[in-house]
Structures are given as C-alpha cells and as structure tokens.
Amino acid sequence: LLLLLHIDYRRYSVQIKYSYLIKERSRKPETTRNCLPRMGFIPICIMYNTKNWFKMRKPYIFIVLELIITTRWILYDKLGGFSDPELSYEPVKEYLMAGRFFNGNTSNPELEELFIEMRSVKDREKVAGPLVMVWYEVPESSKDSVQLFVGLEILPDDHFPGHLDSVHFDMNGLVRATIRKHASVMPSPSMIINEIKEYADNQQYKLQDLVIDKYLSDTVVYTEIPLKF
C-alpha cells in the first residue's frame, strides 16, 4: 500500500510520502557481507570482498612494487652491476708468485680453505702483493676438474714465504680487464675472458693459454691474460 500526500505552495513543494512495505525487502543491502551469507552464498561473498579489497588498495600495491623495484635497481647499481670491465694493455714482463697448486673442481671446499690460508700468510708475512689465482685451463662448469695455482704476487720489496711453492711467468705484456663490482654481481669468468679475447683480436695480440685473477679488494678484481712473444 502506498499513500502519497502532496502539499503545494507558491514556490516550494513539500512531498510527504507514507509507505508500508514488507520489512527489509524495501531496503537494498549495503554490502554483500550483509545479504549473501543469509542466502547461503558465503563463497561468493568472500570472492566479492576480496575483489573489493584489491580494487581499493590497487594504487598502494603498485606504489609498493615500484619502490621495491627501484630499490633493487639502486642497490644493483651501487654494487657495480651496470659497470663494464675496463680493458687495457699493460707492459708487464714477468710475475713471481708464492702459493699452492690445486687440482679439482672450483666447488671443492678445499679451494676456499686454500684462499683462507693465503690470506693469513699475507697478513702474517706482511706481503704487499695481492691474492692471485692462476687458471691453467678455464672450466666450462664448476663440476669440471681444473689445475689452479692459488697464492700471492711477490713484489720486489716483499719477503718470499719460504714454505710455499713458487711459480714464475715470463710474458710480452698482458691484456687486463679491471672489474669494479661486488662479488655478488660479478660476471662469469668465461664472459670476461671472451671480452679480453675480442679486445686482443682487434689489437692483433696473441694470447697465452693461462688466465690470472688478482683480488685487490672485495670490489676490484684484475683478470689478466699474458701475451706470447
């Protein structure tokens, strides 16, 4: 039943309505949370509210994702991830090194122990030369067995640790790749070696088969390949 009473004046109109309808049928539910569970559609209610939750917070989710991506890019740049190796020719004629030979794969824990031993020798004997690792052959994977020499470069003013093995390399200069990166973003050895070989081909240099890595610090590494006579 619907009773309408209208009272009109000159410029204003007042409308008074009296309605008699069935309770709650005349009112639309404000949210599905109020109506759907009563009708037995609980899964639909959950899906609807989840969709609304994402819809309401969509701008904030994108902002958080952009902040995460930007932070990762800044951190990667700070670690040197975007810096390229610096290639150069160095007129080095010889190297003298002290250390130990190693045969095995690069994932062997003994290799890490050998590095720790060389660091302690460097500090104890006060050797100014950097830590070095000589690759007599570059493996295709970390599971391949290789022959390495891990030790210290002996500079003219350094005292030679008598209990270590010594190696001497003669060369007609070398090509050096200076890598300024943190170890976490360091490129693979094969990538650096390929860049050195490409540089040597452009300069018509003839490279030897061995590769020398010098660890000057945590963020500076020299990868060098000597030239043939």
Side-chain angles (χ1 to χ4, degrees):
L1 298 175
L2 183 61
L3 177 63
L4 303 178
L5 176 63
H6 296 278
I7 304 175
D8 295 329
Y9 293 92
R10 291 182 181 178
R11 299 177 59 184
Y12 300 96
S13 175
V14 177
Q15 185 181 38
I16 303 174
K17 299 181 180 181
Y18 293 91
S19 302
Y20 181 78
L21 298 173
I22 299 175
K23 188 177 181 180
E24 293 189 0
R25 286 189 179 180
S26 63
R27 294 186 302 171
K28 295 181 179 180
E30 297 180 357
T31 62
T32 54
R33 182 179 300 178
N34 297 330
C35 68
L36 291 180
R38 299 177 185 178
M39 301 171 63
F41 297 110
I42 295 178
I44 298 178
C45 181
I46 294 174
M47 292 174 61
Y48 181 86
N49 289 320
T50 303
K51 183 178 180 180
N52 281 348
W53 187 90
F54 281 107
K55 186 176 181 180
M56 294 171 59
R57 292 161 177 80
K58 189 176 181 180
Y60 303 102
I61 293 174
F62 278 109
I63 291 173
V64 172
L65 290 176
E66 289 177 2
L67 288 174
I68 293 174
I69 294 172
T70 303
T71 302
R72 289 174 64 90
W73 275 73
I74 293 174
L75 180 60
Y76 187 77
D77 181 60
K78 291 292 184 182
L79 295 175
F82 295 112
S83 62
D84 295 326
E86 303 169 10
L87 299 171
S88 62
Y89 166 80
E90 302 297 332
V92 179
K93 296 301 180 184
E94 62 179 357
Y95 273 147
L96 177 62
M97 300 178 182
R100 301 288 187 196
F101 287 96
F102 172 83
N103 288 287
N105 57 62
T106 55
S107 60
N108 193 324
E110 294 180 4
L111 182 59
E112 184 178 356
E113 295 174 0
L114 193 53
F115 266 101
I116 295 173
E117 178 186 351
M118 293 301 110
R119 286 194 186 97
S120 63
V121 171
K122 177 179 173 62
D123 295 336
R124 185 175 64 252
E125 302 289 341
K126 300 186 182 303
V127 178
L131 283 165
V132 297
M133 184 166 64
V134 181
W135 303 74
Y136 291 94
E137 54 183 334
V138 179
E140 295 182 359
S141 69
S142 60
K143 297 181 180 179
D144 294 338
S145 181
V146 293
Q147 181 181 5
L148 304 172
F149 182 84
V150 180
L152 305 168
E153 180 186 0
I154 304 300
L155 302 179
D157 296 333
D158 284 337
H159 169 70
F160 189 91
H163 64 287
L164 298 179
D165 300 324
S166 65
V167 292
H168 182 270
F169 299 106
D170 292 321
M171 61 195 73
N172 189 27
L174 55 83
V175 177
R176 173 182 295 167
T178 303
I179 303 111
R180 305 181 188 277
K181 297 175 182 283
H182 191 268
S184 59
V185 295
M186 194 71 66
S188 63
S190 59
M191 184 182 300
I192 300 300
I193 292 171
N194 290 336
E195 293 192 22
I196 292 177
K197 289 181 177 180
E198 183 178 353
Y199 176 85
D201 291 339
N202 294 334
Q203 301 296 326
Q204 297 182 349
Y205 295 146
K206 294 182 179 181
L207 301 174
Q208 297 187 26
D209 294 330
L210 58 88
V211 179
I212 301 172
D213 285 335
K214 292 184 180 180
Y215 302 93
L216 280 69
S217 67
D218 293 337
T219 57
V220 180
V221 177
Y222 290 166
T223 297
E224 302 172 341
I225 301 182
L227 302 182
K228 295 180 180 180
F229 288 96

